[in-house]
């Protein structure tokens, strides 16, 4: 799905109360505020609920910017609390922002860049709900109830290189699948009749703008190249989290699966092979080079895979990739998909931000303007 901040209507600041200071920025994506300008607009933003844009560096996590991770913690009553604050700065000042979608459960090192970020945000007492699109009534913001800056999108924080057409990846922040990239979930099932089966489901960023939930392990598929991923907020598609047998590593080195009848396989993509590899003599353990890699978990008691998938070696240490490749999606050229473009967007979206190809009767948005389809 597409977050509402991609729609320019939300960036319009007409009607905001202006101070007597002449601002260099106007809070649009094309001409973002400095932090001094942003802080001067708190009262007006709280009254209007408008989304504005600012350029800033992430100084550090936590309200004082001294943390390098935003891991959850338990209080004395065993209640879990989510850290979700970050301190941002530029040459004119600082501000603290919150986001369960973007800042909670991350390490500073998860982002590939923390400088000169292009940020969309709001100021007020409400955050942005996190939950699945099919059951939005259960979505929660989890953010503070007092007035605060709440992130909607962060551009420039995550750039990934995809080699050999694939990359297994997971991160604590939500992100939007960019143009030219498809994200895949992999499901491993077992029945006594059919043995183990593996199935794939795809989320093509060139057809729709999908928000990948926090910590969702995915296999990214694209032509070789470097791609910019927007960190975003919003409701996500329920199937992305359902029955996905991929999980993320906790860090480089040995990762352990405690269930005796489950085996761990590391996703591997090289010029010679693509698939899932068991690289430890202990099948419940897998060795990773980095914590953002992904692991496929399969039931160990099976002796075969149904359909086109099977054990490739007698020691059951290799499962070939049986899903689609970049060529199947028409991704033939490696590109850098910068998501900070300020060009006009002729696509049509519904009020949830979902791209629509054939709008039925109702209210829609195109190029930042609402219109009624009859």
């Amino acid at each position: 799905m597409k977050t509402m901040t991609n729609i320019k209507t939300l960036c319009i600041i007409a009607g905001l109360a202006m101070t007597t200071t002449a601002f260099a920025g106007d809070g649009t994506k094309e001409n973002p505020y400095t932090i001094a300008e942003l802080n001067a607009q708190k009262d007006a933003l709280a009254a209007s609920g408008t989304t504005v844009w600012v350029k800033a560096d992430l100084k550090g996590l936590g309200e004082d910017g001294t943390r390098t991770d935003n891991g959850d913690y338990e209080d004395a009553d065993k209640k879990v609390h989510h850290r979700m604050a970050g301190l941002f700065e530029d040459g004119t000042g600082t501000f603290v922002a919150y986001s369960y979608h973007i800042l909670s459960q991350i390490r500073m090192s998860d982002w590939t860049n923390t400088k000169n970020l292009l940020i969309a945000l709001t100021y007020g007492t409400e955050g942005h709900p996190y939950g699945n699109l099919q059951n939005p009534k259960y979505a929660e913001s989890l953010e503070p109830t007092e007035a605060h800056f709440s992130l909607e999108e962060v551009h420039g924080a995550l750039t990934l290189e995809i080699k050999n057409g694939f990359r297994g990846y997971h991160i604590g922040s939500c992100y939007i699948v960019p143009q030219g990239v498809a994200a895949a979930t992999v499901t491993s099932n077992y029945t006594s009749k059919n043995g183990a089966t593996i199935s794939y489901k795809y989320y093509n960023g060139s057809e729709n703008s999908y928000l990948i939930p926090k910590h969702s392990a995915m296999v990214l598929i694209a032509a070789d190249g470097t791609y910019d991923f927007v960190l975003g907020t919003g409701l996500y598609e329920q199937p992305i989290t359902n029955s996905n047998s991929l999980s993320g590593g906790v860090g480089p080195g040995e990762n352990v699966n405690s269930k005796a009848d489950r085996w761990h396989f590391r996703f591997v993509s090289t010029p010679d092979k693509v698939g899932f590899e068991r690289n430890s003599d202990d099948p419940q353990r897998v060795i990773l080079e980095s914590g953002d890699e992904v692991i496929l978990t399969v039931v160990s008691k099976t002796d075969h895979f149904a359909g086109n998938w099977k054990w490739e070696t007698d020691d059951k240490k290799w499962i070939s990739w049986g899903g689609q490749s970049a060529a199947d999606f028409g991704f033939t050229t490696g590109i850098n998909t910068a998501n900070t473009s300020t060009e006009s967007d002729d696509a049509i979206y519904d009020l949830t931000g979902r791209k629509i190809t054939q709008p039925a009767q109702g209210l829609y948005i195109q190029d930042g303007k609402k219109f009624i389809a009859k």
Side-chain angles (χ1 to χ4, degrees):
M1 69 163 284
K2 190 150 185 166
T3 60
M4 292 298 288
T5 53
N6 283 342
I7 304 170
K8 294 181 181 178
T9 300
L10 296 180
C11 303
I12 297 174
I13 61 166
L16 291 182
M18 300 297 290
T19 67
T20 57
T21 304
F23 288 169
D26 61 10
T28 61
K29 187 176 182 181
E30 297 83 355
N31 191 23
Y33 281 141
T34 65
I35 292 180
E37 295 168 344
L38 176 71
N39 284 329
Q41 290 296 309
K42 282 184 177 180
D43 291 341
L45 292 173
S48 68
T50 304
T51 296
V52 292
W53 295 79
V54 64
K55 274 285 186 76
D57 301 341
L58 175 61
K59 181 178 182 180
L61 300 175
E63 294 175 343
D64 59 2
T66 61
R67 298 188 60 83
T68 58
D69 73 88
N70 262 352
D72 295 344
Y73 67 96
E74 290 185 352
D75 60 20
D77 298 322
K78 302 296 183 180
K79 181 179 179 180
V80 176
H81 297 269
H82 304 292
R83 295 187 177 99
M84 60 184 77
L87 182 66
F88 295 82
E89 64 178 0
D90 66 3
T92 70
T94 64
F95 71 90
V96 176
Y98 297 82
S99 174
Y100 179 73
H101 298 75
I102 296 173
L103 293 175
S104 176
Q105 302 169 337
I106 70 162
R107 299 177 293 260
M108 285 279 287
S109 58
D110 290 342
W111 293 8
T112 58
N113 175 60
T114 59
K115 304 295 184 182
N116 200 34
L117 304 172
L118 180 60
I119 302 167
L121 74 176
T122 58
Y123 185 81
T125 58
E126 296 184 3
H128 302 286
Y130 179 83
N132 72 77
L133 189 63
Q134 286 70 25
N135 294 291
K137 65 181 179 179
Y138 298 117
E140 299 180 80
S141 77
L142 303 173
E143 295 180 18
T145 56
E146 64 271 13
H148 64 283
F149 285 112
S150 180
L151 302 181
E152 288 195 17
E153 285 187 1
V154 177
H155 295 238
L158 185 62
T159 301
L160 299 177
E161 183 179 9
I162 296 179
K163 296 180 179 180
N164 307 309
F166 298 89
R167 178 168 178 166
Y169 188 73
H170 87 106
I171 188 175
S173 300
C174 298
Y175 63 87
I176 300 168
V177 181
Q179 293 276 329
V181 177
T185 59
V186 183
T187 303
S188 172
N189 289 314
Y190 173 82
T191 66
S192 58
K193 178 180 179 180
N194 296 324
T197 61
I198 294 180
S199 59
Y200 303 83
K201 189 171 180 62
Y202 307 97
Y203 303 89
N204 186 350
S206 294
E207 295 180 351
N208 208 332
S209 193
Y210 294 101
L211 181 72
I212 302 301
K214 296 169 62 61
H215 288 299
S216 293
M218 312 291 287
V219 173
L220 303 177
I221 306 169
D224 290 7
T226 302
Y227 298 83
D228 294 334
F229 289 71
V230 174
L231 306 181
T233 62
L235 304 182
Y236 55 81
E237 297 278 3
Q238 177 77 12
I240 297 178
T241 59
N242 283 356
S243 303
N244 187 9
S245 300
L246 297 176
S247 60
V250 297
E254 188 176 74
N255 289 250
V256 180
N257 180 356
S258 59
K259 292 186 177 181
D261 62 344
R262 299 291 188 272
W263 286 4
H264 269 171
F265 291 76
R266 172 194 177 204
F267 178 76
V268 175
S269 175
T270 73
D272 301 321
K273 62 181 182 179
V274 179
F276 302 94
E277 177 182 56
R278 183 162 64 84
N279 60 3
S280 171
D281 290 334
D282 182 349
Q284 294 173 251
R285 301 174 187 271
V286 65
I287 310 301
L288 302 181
E289 294 181 2
S290 66
D292 62 18
E293 292 187 72
V294 301
I295 301 165
L296 175 67
T297 301
V298 302
V299 177
S300 62
K301 58 188 176 184
T302 183
D303 59 2
H304 69 283
F305 280 84
N308 297 325
W309 307 289
K310 60 182 181 180
W311 296 114
E312 303 292 332
T313 57
D314 293 337
D315 56 9
K316 300 181 180 179
K317 286 190 173 183
W318 179 257
I319 305 169
S320 290
W321 176 264
Q324 295 187 17
S325 66
D328 294 318
F329 294 99
F331 303 153
T332 57
T333 305
I335 58 175
N336 187 326
T337 55
N339 283 278
T340 56
S341 171
T342 60
E343 296 180 0
S344 175
D345 186 357
D346 293 329
I348 298 173
Y349 305 94
D350 65 18
L351 297 185
T352 70
R354 183 189 298 275
K355 185 182 288 187
I356 303 297
T357 55
Q358 295 181 332
Q361 184 176 357
L363 185 61
Y364 298 91
I365 297 174
Q366 185 178 42
D367 197 19
K369 299 179 181 179
K370 294 181 179 178
F371 74 95
I372 298 175
K374 299 181 178 180

